[in-house]
Amino acid sequence: MRGKTAFDVEGTVVEKLPPGLLRIELANGHRLLGHVTRRQASLVERVRVGAVVTVNLSPGDLSHGYVILNEENL
């Protein structure tokens, strides 16, 4: 997958899991596991089910991604 770059998609939080993990559903119905970076770990407590978040996905593995939290969406 050389030369392929990550891309961002929007999804809805379906479930909050143990610290730093969120179950996210994309618009096409695909569910994935979202990891939160350490820098944004303090914001996870404020995330509610149904919040719209941005997920950074790698083309190699579409079942996991990094969640980008915006304070205005929480």
Side-chain angles (χ1 to χ4, degrees):
M1 290 270 178
R2 189 173 177 109
K4 302 285 183 176
T5 59
F7 57 95
D8 294 339
V9 293
E10 285 193 356
T12 305
V13 176
V14 176
E15 180 181 7
K16 289 177 68 173
L17 299 169
L21 298 174
L22 300 167
R23 177 89 48 207
I24 302 189
E25 183 171 354
L26 303 180
N28 63 1
H30 180 72
R31 288 188 177 199
L32 56 96
L33 188 63
H35 303 271
V36 178
T37 60
R38 290 184 186 179
R39 180 191 288 173
Q40 294 186 335
S42 62
L43 295 176
V44 173
E45 298 169 1
R46 295 175 28 196
V47 174
R48 296 188 179 129
V49 173
V52 177
V53 294
T54 304
V55 183
N56 188 301
L57 291 174
S58 167
D61 184 9
L62 299 176
S63 64
H64 294 82
Y66 284 105
V67 178
I68 302 169
L69 298 173
N70 296 328
E71 290 191 38
E72 52 196 48
N73 292 348
L74 303 179

